[in-house]
Amino acid sequence: MATWTPMPNNQLRLRFERELGQLDFSDFAASADLEEENVYGGNVDLEPEQRWISELTYERRFWGEGVVSIGYRHDEIIDAIDRIPLAGGLSAVAISARARWTGCR
Amino acid sequence: MTLPLDKLGAPGARFTFKNDWNKTAVTDPTTGEERPISGVRATQANIGIEQDITRWKLQWGVNWLPYLGQPNYSPDQVSRWRGTDYFEMFAEYKPSPTLAIRAQLNLWDDFTNSRTVFADRETRAVAFIEDSTVDPRTFVSIRVRKTF
């Protein structure tokens, strides 16, 4: 992360980071819902998603408490987790393809 | 954005605006085509006003979310959930630095959920579309917090 303050109350922040996601335990482990008479398989091969994050934010402070900030972010997501089709009309939570996320805030 | 409103004759008041705009893309495991990532909201603006009234030891505020919504994708169906005009109003009284009493009112319009179910995974012919409305109801909450 790099921060640059070209003038007082004006700041530019640049972030470039690799982030590792968290798995949802219920996707990983098998379970049963006795009331609904359903069994849910778990995917032991599931791995957390990885993201390469690039983010640029400009922030200006004014009038004491006042803040205006605008940011742009782009994530390249590897091992995105999604719902995949299985034979027999079933589906499962598994690692899918790469994904992209572009955001403005 | 946080805009102090003192200069507009409202001491201790602030106008706030926050929004995310998200564009996402992933290859759908069933169709092989590109679509947004499941469960990600494309946009959600939050517009608010808050004011601290120190002589009354009170803070109050209103937040408005004009639009909420997200799609969910799975091999056999796509569902889209939408909500509009979500209001959250609160007032918090702090008689001492360790005691806070907060009352909050949540007002929401009905949510709509539209579920498109496919007859098969190869052609993705639409078997049926189910539209439902959920009334999330107005609710009031009161919180008393004391720190030791």
Side-chain angles (χ1 to χ4, degrees):
Chain A
M1 171 129 169
T3 301
W4 179 43
T5 305
M7 292 172 282
N9 299 314
N10 286 270
Q11 191 177 83
L12 263 173
R13 291 191 293 272
L14 177 66
R15 177 166 76 114
F16 183 63
E17 195 174 6
R18 179 173 171 267
E19 207 174 78
L20 202 57
Q22 282 270 32
L23 286 180
D24 187 328
F25 188 70
S26 62
D27 292 334
F28 179 79
S31 62
D33 185 331
L34 300 177
E35 203 173 295
E36 295 284 322
E37 295 180 349
N38 263 332
V39 173
Y40 299 98
N43 185 348
V44 296
D45 295 325
L46 210 54
E47 287 177 15
E49 68 170 31
Q50 301 173 57
R51 290 185 184 223
W52 282 101
I53 300 169
S54 313
E55 187 173 22
L56 180 66
T57 307
Y58 167 69
E59 185 179 285
R60 177 169 164 76
R61 295 191 168 259
F62 60 97
W63 298 353
E65 272 186 82
V67 180
V68 168
S69 91
I70 184 152
Y72 174 84
R73 171 174 162 165
H74 180 84
D75 292 13
E76 283 292 325
I77 306 170
I78 301 157
D79 294 342
I81 293 185
D82 211 330
R83 199 142 204 107
I84 63 161
L86 297 177
L90 300 174
S91 64
V93 174
I95 295 168
S96 180
R98 292 176 79 111
R100 296 186 308 277
W101 187 323
T102 303
C104 200
R105 149 178 295 211
Chain B
M1 173 177 78
T2 301
L3 178 69
L5 298 176
D6 301 70
K7 295 193 179 190
L8 296 175
R14 298 173 287 284
F15 169 79
T16 57
F17 173 77
K18 193 165 58 171
N19 195 14
D20 289 321
W21 291 269
N22 295 313
K23 187 171 157 58
T24 60
V26 69
T27 303
D28 187 299
T30 308
T31 64
E33 288 169 15
E34 209 166 74
R35 56 136 168 97
I37 297 175
S38 202
V40 173
R41 298 184 186 188
T43 182
Q44 186 162 297
N46 185 325
I47 297 157
I49 289 189
E50 272 181 10
Q51 187 178 26
D52 303 322
I53 307 175
T54 42
R55 68 181 182 281
W56 292 348
K57 300 178 183 175
L58 186 71
Q59 185 190 47
W60 69 271
V62 180
N63 271 84
W64 172 44
L65 276 70
Y67 173 81
L68 310 91
Q70 69 186 46
N72 279 84
Y73 300 90
S74 68
D76 304 301
Q77 64 181 24
V78 174
S79 63
R80 286 172 209 286
W81 167 102
R82 286 200 172 98
T84 54
D85 291 325
Y86 169 30
F87 286 93
E88 189 181 275
M89 287 160 249
F90 77 93
E92 187 161 318
Y93 174 57
K94 290 185 183 170
S96 77
T98 58
L99 179 63
I101 302 158
R102 181 184 174 106
Q104 186 166 302
L105 170 71
N106 283 60
L107 284 172
W108 342 37
D109 274 355
D110 291 349
F111 293 165
T112 60
N113 197 53
S114 182
R115 192 165 73 104
T116 302
V117 178
F118 305 110
D120 64 81
R121 292 174 178 180
E122 287 73 40
T123 66
R124 284 218 142 189
V126 173
F128 64 88
I129 297 175
E130 176 192 85
D131 286 313
S132 58
T133 303
V134 172
D135 176 2
R137 300 189 183 174
T138 299
F139 59 92
V140 176
S141 62
I142 302 210
R143 184 185 77 189
V144 177
R145 186 170 64 180
K146 171 86 180 150
T147 54
F148 299 87

